[in-house]
Amino acid sequence: MAGKKVIITGVPGVGKTTVINEALNKLKSEGVEYQPINFGSFMFEVAKSEGLVENRDQMRTLDRADQKRLQQRAAQAIAKIDGNVMIDTHASVKTPTGYLAGLPEWVLREIMPDVIILVETDNDQILMRRLNDETRSRDKEGARAIAEHQQFNRSIAAAYAMVTGCTIRIITNADHLLDLAAVEMADVLR
């Protein structure tokens, strides 16, 4: 069974992984199974085994050649998986020299997603979530920079759709409305 390939993206702190987990729980109770894959975790394990990084937050500081190689290895492994696959990743990564495509052409052509979901919310909500998350080491940036990143993600998702022919869906994960976002995501995944 080939299955459905779904890519779910969002800026750091938007709560995409939380929405994914809630949506997967809803689908599982209906007998709809997805294999969740975190694209960055796979890349991190490879980078760590090669001695390139010690923690995930260092990934965005790697040079472009290392990023590309790690992305290719992850995409090739994901493309071989049968069944429904949900890929948790970032549409773009903010690096010291600018935005890096999280899903460049060589990744997209391997995975060929059916749909890309952008999880978004209000910039101030993301800022507050980041400030209250002591488990991660994130760059300090304000609501305006977060807004720019979310807008860039929308633009680059449109380009991804041009390469693959997939659809794009935007789901809002507003504070105190997690269940609504999870229901909307589950509807897309059915």
Side-chain angles (χ1 to χ4, degrees):
M1 169 174 124
K4 196 173 185 180
K5 300 272 193 283
V6 179
I7 294 174
I8 303 178
T9 71
V11 299
V14 75
K16 71 180 161 48
T17 304
T18 303
V19 177
I20 287 169
N21 290 337
E22 288 294 316
L24 287 176
N25 285 338
K26 290 179 184 312
L27 291 172
K28 191 172 188 171
S29 69
E30 300 169 16
V32 179
E33 296 284 335
Y34 269 85
Q35 180 173 344
I37 295 173
N38 186 292
F39 196 82
S41 293
F42 182 86
M43 286 177 56
F44 169 64
E45 290 304 321
V46 174
K48 188 176 172 185
S49 73
E50 294 179 6
L52 297 173
V53 296
E54 293 177 12
N55 66 62
R56 250 190 93 149
D57 293 310
Q58 293 172 328
M59 294 285 292
R60 67 183 179 279
T61 65
L62 292 173
D63 75 31
R64 212 169 123 210
D66 285 330
Q67 292 265 359
K68 181 177 178 178
R69 185 176 50 75
L70 294 170
Q71 287 172 327
Q72 285 176 317
R73 289 186 62 189
Q76 289 165 351
I78 291 167
K80 294 177 183 172
I81 299 170
D82 281 334
N84 293 326
V85 177
M86 179 185 295
I87 303 139
D88 177 350
T89 192
H90 294 283
S92 65
V93 179
K94 199 169 194 176
T95 73
T97 58
Y99 293 105
L100 177 68
L103 298 163
E105 182 267 342
W106 55 86
V107 170
L108 291 169
R109 292 219 188 268
E110 290 284 350
I111 297 173
M112 289 305 288
D114 296 288
V115 63
I116 296 175
I117 298 173
L118 294 169
V119 178
E120 297 182 349
T121 197
D122 181 73
N123 308 315
D124 291 328
Q125 289 180 21
I126 294 169
L127 178 60
M128 293 308 296
R129 291 173 188 174
R130 288 180 183 180
L131 291 172
N132 292 321
D133 184 359
E134 296 177 4
T135 66
R136 300 292 302 271
S137 172
R138 294 191 168 119
D139 295 336
K140 302 288 187 234
E141 58 184 358
R144 211 174 283 173
I146 293 168
E148 176 188 272
H149 197 171
Q150 287 197 115
Q151 183 55 48
F152 185 80
N153 281 351
R154 282 185 175 204
S155 300
I156 203 162
Y160 296 161
M162 292 297 293
V163 170
T164 65
C166 72
T167 59
I168 304 295
R169 179 68 176 264
I170 298 170
I171 295 176
T172 302
N173 181 29
D175 281 349
H176 313 293
L177 297 174
L178 171 62
D179 194 58
L180 184 62
V183 165
E184 190 175 345
M185 184 177 287
D187 288 345
V188 174
L189 298 173
R190 281 189 189 89

